[in-house]
């Protein structure tokens, strides 16, 4: 488990190699044992591939972002230190690998659009909860998603969790024929990482335990 946790990272370039549906079922069958408040198990998962995947991608890529808004704020309205510095470091480390220079808006937009092509992953997992549920349901679902990420790695697959799709929840949920009471929480790209793409060499730093922990005896 230690190796799985350390080896897992967000992959942004996948091979077109298909995934056996039995493997996906096995991953979800293990992930469902995540904890949830009073055992509500609030998550619902849509496994999307093939023509449905392509149709959703095309619709979102052609959508006007000004016409779409997320149902909850994933990021803060105002950034403060040290979070803004970490965010900037992550962004410029990624762009640096891809040869995208500061101010090159066209290349930045093109890279952002890669989100909505699932970074070429053949499978996407859309996680929703019922709108009536509280913030705890999102926390529960996040723990279930972490299980998915780790189990995928166990099966030789890679992932990239995405919040970018939340802005386009109306398009996504309509194409999935989801109920009106559902809210999109997160999307996960699933597939085999392209070992030859430079973007997958990105290693994001982690703060040492001493920087975020207070011990009392």
């Amino acid at each position: 488990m230690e190796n799985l946790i350390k080896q897992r990272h967000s992959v942004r370039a996948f091979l077109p190699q298909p995934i056996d549906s039995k493997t996906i079922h096995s991953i979800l069958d293990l992930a469902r044992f995540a904890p949830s408040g009073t055992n509500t198990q609030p998550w619902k998962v849509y496994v999307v591939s093939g023509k449905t995947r392509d149709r959703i991608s095309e619709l979102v890529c052609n959508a006007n972002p000004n016409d779409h808004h997320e149902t909850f704020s994933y990021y803060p309205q105002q950034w403060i230190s040290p979070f803004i510095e970490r965010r900037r470091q992550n962004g410029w480390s990624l762009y640096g690998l891809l040869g995208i220079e500061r101010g090159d808006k066209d290349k930045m937009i093109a890279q952002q659009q890669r989100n909505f092509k699932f970074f070429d992953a053949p499978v996407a997992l859309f996680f929703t909860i019922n709108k009536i549920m509280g913030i705890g349901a999102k926390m529960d679902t996040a723990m279930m998603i972490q299980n998915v990420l780790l189990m995928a790695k166990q099966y030789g697959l890679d992932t990239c969790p995405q919040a970018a799709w939340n802005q386009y929840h109306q398009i996504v949920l309509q194409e999935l024929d989801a109920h009106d009471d559902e809210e999109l929480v997160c999307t996960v790209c699933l597939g085999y990482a392209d070992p030859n793409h430079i973007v997958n060499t990105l290693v994001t730093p982690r703060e040492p335990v001493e920087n975020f922990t207070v011990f009392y005896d």
Side-chain angles (χ1 to χ4, degrees):
M1 181 58 72
E2 180 180 346
N3 288 334
L4 289 178
I5 293 173
K6 290 184 177 180
Q7 291 172 8
R8 186 220 63 80
H9 66 106
S10 293
V11 164
R12 293 181 175 87
F14 291 86
L15 298 173
Q17 182 177 347
I19 306 171
D20 189 334
S21 60
K22 292 182 180 179
T23 299
I24 300 174
H25 186 280
S26 295
I27 290 170
L28 294 172
D29 192 38
L30 291 164
R32 67 193 174 97
F33 287 95
S36 60
T38 64
N39 198 35
T40 51
Q41 304 173 67
W43 48 76
K44 185 171 183 178
V45 187
Y46 294 88
V47 180
V48 178
S49 60
K51 292 181 180 179
T52 303
R53 169 204 174 279
D54 296 343
R55 184 171 64 252
I56 291 174
S57 176
E58 182 179 6
L59 287 170
V60 171
C61 284
N62 292 328
N64 182 344
N66 294 324
D67 295 336
H68 297 273
H69 305 280
E70 57 193 1
T71 58
F72 65 94
S73 297
Y74 185 92
Y75 294 109
Q77 297 298 314
Q78 181 177 356
W79 287 90
I80 61 172
S81 183
F83 313 113
I84 184 61
E85 289 83 7
R86 294 173 187 164
R87 176 180 171 87
R88 286 171 177 165
Q89 180 187 32
N90 185 72
W92 288 117
S93 294
L94 174 64
Y95 288 160
L97 279 176
L98 297 173
I100 301 175
E101 299 180 356
R102 293 176 185 270
D104 194 336
K105 293 184 178 180
D106 290 340
K107 287 186 177 180
M108 289 180 184
I109 292 173
Q111 179 58 30
Q112 290 170 359
Q113 282 287 87
R114 293 278 296 151
N115 278 283
F116 306 116
K117 297 177 181 179
F118 304 103
F119 301 111
D120 298 326
V123 174
L125 307 178
F126 292 97
F127 294 81
T128 71
I129 62 171
N130 192 297
K131 292 177 182 177
I132 202 171
M133 301 299 284
I135 187 65
K138 293 182 175 66
M139 297 170 63
D140 297 338
T141 304
M143 289 187 279
M144 191 270 196
I145 292 171
Q146 176 73 349
N147 280 357
V148 170
L149 306 184
L150 295 177
M151 289 303 99
K153 196 67 181 174
Q154 176 71 38
Y155 279 87
L157 294 163
D158 281 284
T159 54
C160 184
Q162 299 173 284
W165 286 91
N166 292 1
Q167 180 179 353
Y168 300 96
H169 62 95
Q170 290 179 317
I171 294 175
V172 172
L173 296 180
Q174 181 175 343
E175 289 301 309
L176 297 178
D177 198 25
H179 295 161
D180 292 340
D181 60 6
E182 288 182 61
E183 179 180 36
L184 182 62
V185 174
C186 183
T187 304
V188 173
C189 300
L190 179 67
Y192 295 94
D194 183 347
N196 298 317
H197 200 298
I198 192 171
V199 74
N200 289 334
T201 65
L202 178 65
V203 178
T204 53
R206 293 293 189 272
E207 292 292 314
V209 172
E210 292 73 19
N211 283 10
F212 61 80
T213 309
V214 178
F215 289 96
Y216 289 98
D217 58 21

